[in-house]
């Protein structure tokens, strides 16, 4: 007989569903409503003219933004998927020196905000940048600052999504399929093309869709590139619509609709590809993949890995470092070294960075705590409860991972900028709380996935037995579940904290007046062509955040040891 506790699971399920609806689904619905009923959120209710949606093909800026987003998305998806898949297969099949450095670099690229990577490339490849001044590469500027060059730069920051997806799928393999094909006379190319590649198709499709969704919703690259090269995309044009006079909510709503539409189409393509075919080939004969030492060509793998890491890591981070200690206010002018920019960060006349850093750390800490609570409850419902709307909760929790922060920010403006909310004390627009809520919505999917993986290892019977002994829901969670997954909870919280500090899209859209955040401080300095100050602020702020996370990790280890004992 299977023991169930539906009442508690249902109550928790409805609570979680209500919170996710408020934080994630309602803002997205507001974006669509604004298109159908323009002005409804600002006291001017009227039936929308759906022809506004067609203006994206008539108005030059709208059309160019849409075309650039599609071009950048498709180009980066194709190139990023090819690069990520090729590197993942090489990493899974061959053992070579520096392989762990490649894994480390992949994670660095994933957690580093795209605007920091883009700023590094701008400092390196601009007309008077480091490449021209230090190496004499004058032609690099004309290559990078064009659509193909931007696709190249975006690929180098987005390929890790495809890499991790494919590499995870290569963890297990059934060699008998390939061996049978080789015994039948198939060449290595034939075996890969007809057996190995088709078996990887679901992972390749998933990686490709992740690359596409992350690319079309990216705000950091166009925001950074705009200082050198005008390349408007949907996210950047949405941002511009809110920070021009007069404010264009119609433009922001219409472009947000198309951005959500592109994301929805990408998710639909992925689901279609997954449903059309089955590739469940693992059996008892499956073995864990073990990289082998190449018989020949090993030195080329090592050299290729070094060159690749020098490009994807060395250029963006090295450019920030060199520019921060360069003796000129623009990147690359002069080779004298100085610490003037670092001194300016903490000078008595300039407290902007310290204030922005303090605000960002405060918001990230609160968002991590709230997000950890919500993510824990979401994971609990998905793992242990019999709540009938569990799939709905799972989909909503993933939506915020796919939907760009710029769109979520627009929805928050529509929802929380209502005059009637001021009468009940809930007018959150223009306050730091709206930043916190938006940050919570952004970190929920990350926390949920981490915690679900840990909860999957805790048998349901442990909680059922405790309930049969009279333990309440609170007692079961605090005394059994939390101690067993404490490490995962803490690491999920740290990941959420780090992601919230450098969320440029949310900060740029929702930061209150006179309440600067670290990403906004860095981006504004970069827009003013203060490259040295922006680079110093980036490295200083990032170093402090990494230091905080490292200290917290050191505090985690003793706790984990005590739990094991």
């Amino acid at each position: 007989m299977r023991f169930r506790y539906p009442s508690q699971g249902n109550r928790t399920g409805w609570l979680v569903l209500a919170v996710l609806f408020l934080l994630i689904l309602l803002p997205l619905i507001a974006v669509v409503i604004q298109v159908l009923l323009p002005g409804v959120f600002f006291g001017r209710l009227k039936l929308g003219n759906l022809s506004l949606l067609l203006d994206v093909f008539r108005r030059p800026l709208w059309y160019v933004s849409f075309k650039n987003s599609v071009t950048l998305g498709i180009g980066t998806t194709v190139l990023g998927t090819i690069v990520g898949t090729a590197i993942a297969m090489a990493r899974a099949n061959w053992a070579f020196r520096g392989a762990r450095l490649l894994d480390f670099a992949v994670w660095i690229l994933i957690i580093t905000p795209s605007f920091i990577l883009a700023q590094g490339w701008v400092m390196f490849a601009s007309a008077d940048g480091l490449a021209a001044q230090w190496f004499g590469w004058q032609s690099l500027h004309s290559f990078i600052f064009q659509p193909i060059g931007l696709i190249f730069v975006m690929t180098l920051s987005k390929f890790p999504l495809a890499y991790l997806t494919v590499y995870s799928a290569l963890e297990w393999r059934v060699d008998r399929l390939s061996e049978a094909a080789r015994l039948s006379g198939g060449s290595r190319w034939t075996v890969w093309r007809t057996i190995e590649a088709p078996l990887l198709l679901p992972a390749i499709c998933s990686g490709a869709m992740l690359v596409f969704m992350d690319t079309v919703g990216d705000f950091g690259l166009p925001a950074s590139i705009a200082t050198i090269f005008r390349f408007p995309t949907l996210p950047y044009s949405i941002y511009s619509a809110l920070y021009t006079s007069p404010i264009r909510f119609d433009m922001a709503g219409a472009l947000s609709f198309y951005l959500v539409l592109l994301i929805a189409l990408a998710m639909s393509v992925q689901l279609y590809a997954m449903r059309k075919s089955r590739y469940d080939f693992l059996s008892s004969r499956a073995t864990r993949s073990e990289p082998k030492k190449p018989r020949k060509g090993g030195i080329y793998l090592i050299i290729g890995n070094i060159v690749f890491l020098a490009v994807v890591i060395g250029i963006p981070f090295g450019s920030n470092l060199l520019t921060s200690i360069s003796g000129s206010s623009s990147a690359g002018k002069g080779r004298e070294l100085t610490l003037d920019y670092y001194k300016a960060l903490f000078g008595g006349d300039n407290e902007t960075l310290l204030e922005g850093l303090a605000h960002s750390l405060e918001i990230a800490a609160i968002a991590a705590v709230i997000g950890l609570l919500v993510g824990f409850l979401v994971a609990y419902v998905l793992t242990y409860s019999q709540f009938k709307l569990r799939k709905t909760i799972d989909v909503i929790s993933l939506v915020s991972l796919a939907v760009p922060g710029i769109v979520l920010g627009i929805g928050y403006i529509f929802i929380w900028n209502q005059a009637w909310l001021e009468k009940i004390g809930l007018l959150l627009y223009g306050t730091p709380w709206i930043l916190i809520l938006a940050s919570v919505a952004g970190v929920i999917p990350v926390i949920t996935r981490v915690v679900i993986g840990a909860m999957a290892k805790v048998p349901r019977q442990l909680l059922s037995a405790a309930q049969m002994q009279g333990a309440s829901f609170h007692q079961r969670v605090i005394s059994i579940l939390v101690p067993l997954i404490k490490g995962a909870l803490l690491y999920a919280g740290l990941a959420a904290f780090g992601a919230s500090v450098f969320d440029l899209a949310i900060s740029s859209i929702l930061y209150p007046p006179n309440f600067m955040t670290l990403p906004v401080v860095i981006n504004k300095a970069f827009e003013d062509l203060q490259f040295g100050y922006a680079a110093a602020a980036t490295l200083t702020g990032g170093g402090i955040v990494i230091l905080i996370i490292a200290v917290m990790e050191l505090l985690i280890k003793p706790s984990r040891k005590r739990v094991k004992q």
Side-chain angles (χ1 to χ4, degrees):
M1 180 178 177
R2 189 175 182 180
F3 187 81
R4 296 183 180 181
Y5 30 94
S7 60
Q8 181 62 57
N10 285 338
R11 289 197 298 268
T12 307
W14 286 113
L15 174 63
V16 165
L17 187 59
V19 172
L20 293 182
F21 178 83
L22 181 66
L23 292 178
I24 300 172
L25 203 56
L26 185 58
L28 299 182
I29 294 175
V31 171
V32 178
I33 292 177
Q34 171 64 22
V35 175
L36 300 177
L37 302 171
V40 66
F41 295 106
F42 307 101
R44 300 185 301 273
L45 178 60
K46 62 178 181 179
L47 185 62
N49 184 0
L50 295 182
S51 64
L52 180 67
L53 294 178
L54 299 179
D55 282 354
V56 73
F57 302 106
R58 293 192 289 261
R59 302 190 183 188
L61 177 60
W62 297 21
Y63 176 71
V64 170
S65 300
F66 180 80
K67 184 183 70 173
N68 287 346
S69 287
V70 173
T71 301
L72 189 63
I74 294 176
T76 303
T77 299
V78 173
L79 188 57
T81 303
I82 293 175
V83 172
T85 300
I87 296 176
M89 296 188 69
R91 176 69 178 89
N93 290 322
W94 307 111
F96 55 91
R97 291 184 179 180
R100 292 189 177 182
L101 286 178
L102 176 62
D103 297 336
F104 178 74
V106 165
W107 283 108
I108 289 294
L109 292 172
I110 286 179
I111 65 177
T112 302
S114 62
F115 79 93
I116 292 180
L117 299 174
Q119 288 176 4
W121 277 96
V122 170
M123 297 172 188
F124 183 76
S126 58
D128 57 350
L130 297 172
Q133 294 295 326
W134 289 61
F135 305 107
W137 297 345
Q138 304 291 343
S139 60
L140 186 63
H141 171 79
S142 59
F143 169 72
I144 294 295
F145 297 105
Q146 61 171 320
I148 294 178
L150 298 184
I151 290 173
F152 173 77
V153 172
M154 188 68 85
T155 296
L156 296 183
S157 64
K158 304 301 181 184
F159 84 89
L161 298 171
Y163 170 87
L164 288 178
T165 306
V166 175
Y167 185 64
S168 299
L170 291 169
E171 181 180 6
W172 295 90
R173 61 193 303 169
V174 182
D175 289 332
R176 62 186 178 86
L177 300 176
S178 301
E179 291 171 355
R182 293 298 302 275
L183 290 174
S184 299
S187 63
R188 288 186 177 182
W189 166 248
T190 301
V191 172
W192 183 87
R193 179 175 54 85
T194 59
I195 297 178
E196 295 178 0
L199 291 176
L200 285 175
L201 186 59
I204 294 174
C205 289
S206 296
M209 290 306 100
L210 287 175
V211 172
F212 180 82
M213 290 187 290
D214 204 39
T215 299
V216 297
D218 189 274
F219 173 72
L221 182 134
S224 300
I225 295 297
T227 59
I228 302 295
F229 176 65
R230 183 167 175 78
F231 190 80
T233 59
L234 288 176
Y236 190 74
S237 293
I238 293 170
Y239 167 80
S240 300
L242 297 178
Y243 286 90
T244 55
S245 182
I247 298 176
R248 296 292 307 277
F249 284 113
D250 59 337
M251 175 180 173
L255 296 185
S256 297
F257 175 83
Y258 276 99
L259 191 53
V260 173
L261 182 62
L262 289 176
I263 299 295
L265 288 175
M267 296 180 69
S268 299
V269 169
Q270 180 182 1
L271 292 175
Y272 178 79
M274 297 292 288
R275 289 177 180 177
K276 289 295 291 183
S277 304
R278 293 185 60 189
Y279 300 90
D280 46 347
F281 60 92
L282 292 183
S283 65
S284 58
R285 296 188 179 183
T287 58
R288 188 179 295 274
S289 298
E290 291 292 339
K292 301 177 182 178
K293 290 185 177 181
R295 295 180 180 177
K296 56 181 180 179
I299 187 63
Y300 297 111
L301 285 174
I302 297 175
I303 295 175
N305 186 44
I306 293 174
V307 173
F308 184 74
L309 293 180
V311 173
V312 300
I313 296 293
I315 288 179
F317 291 99
S319 296
N320 274 286
L321 177 59
L322 288 176
T323 304
S324 71
I325 58 176
S326 172
S328 174
S329 59
S330 61
K333 287 186 178 180
R335 299 187 182 184
E336 66 273 15
L337 302 181
T338 180
L339 296 178
D340 289 345
Y341 296 119
Y342 290 95
K343 294 177 182 178
L345 296 179
F346 304 100
D349 297 332
N350 193 348
E351 299 179 356
T352 305
L353 175 71
L354 295 180
E355 292 178 359
L357 178 59
H359 292 159
S360 291
L361 293 177
E362 181 181 1
I363 290 171
I366 298 175
V369 172
I370 298 176
L372 195 59
L373 176 61
V374 176
F376 175 86
L377 293 177
V378 172
Y380 180 88
V381 171
L382 295 179
T383 306
Y384 298 117
S385 80
Q386 303 297 320
F387 187 52
K388 59 183 178 181
L389 297 179
R390 284 188 305 163
K391 290 186 178 180
T392 303
I393 291 177
D394 194 21
V395 171
I396 296 176
S397 68
L398 288 175
V399 163
S400 64
L401 186 63
V403 174
I406 202 81
V407 174
L408 203 62
I410 291 290
Y412 270 70
I413 292 177
F414 292 154
I415 294 298
W416 297 106
N417 189 23
Q418 302 296 310
W420 63 271
L421 290 174
E422 187 174 6
K423 299 178 181 179
I424 59 176
L426 289 179
L427 184 62
L428 300 184
Y429 183 68
T431 70
W433 278 105
I434 195 170
L435 280 173
I436 293 173
L437 289 183
S439 297
V440 171
V443 302
I444 283 176
V446 177
I447 293 175
T448 299
R449 297 306 126 183
V450 174
V451 176
I452 281 180
M455 284 187 178
K457 300 177 182 179
V458 180
R460 183 193 301 266
Q461 291 79 359
L462 288 178
L463 303 179
S464 301
Q467 186 181 20
M468 294 180 66
Q469 297 299 319
S472 65
F473 173 75
H474 179 266
Q475 290 174 325
R476 296 195 302 271
V477 169
I478 297 301
S479 61
I480 298 177
L481 190 56
V482 169
L484 292 175
I485 64 170
K486 190 173 184 179
L489 289 174
L490 291 173
Y491 281 121
L494 290 178
F497 171 79
S500 298
V501 171
F502 287 103
D503 195 334
L504 177 62
I506 292 295
S507 296
S508 297
I509 288 291
L510 299 177
Y511 78 94
N514 301 320
F515 191 88
M516 302 291 286
T517 61
L518 181 61
V520 174
V521 171
I522 295 173
N523 192 57
K524 284 188 176 296
F526 196 83
E527 289 178 347
D528 294 336
L529 302 182
Q530 298 177 1
F531 292 152
Y533 182 88
T538 297
L539 296 177
T540 301
I544 292 175
V545 172
I546 293 174
L547 179 62
I548 292 175
I549 293 177
V551 171
M552 292 299 297
E553 186 176 359
L554 290 176
L555 297 177
I556 289 170
K557 291 182 178 179
S559 300
R560 295 182 68 189
K561 291 179 180 179
R562 286 195 295 268
V563 171
K564 291 180 180 179
Q565 292 174 354

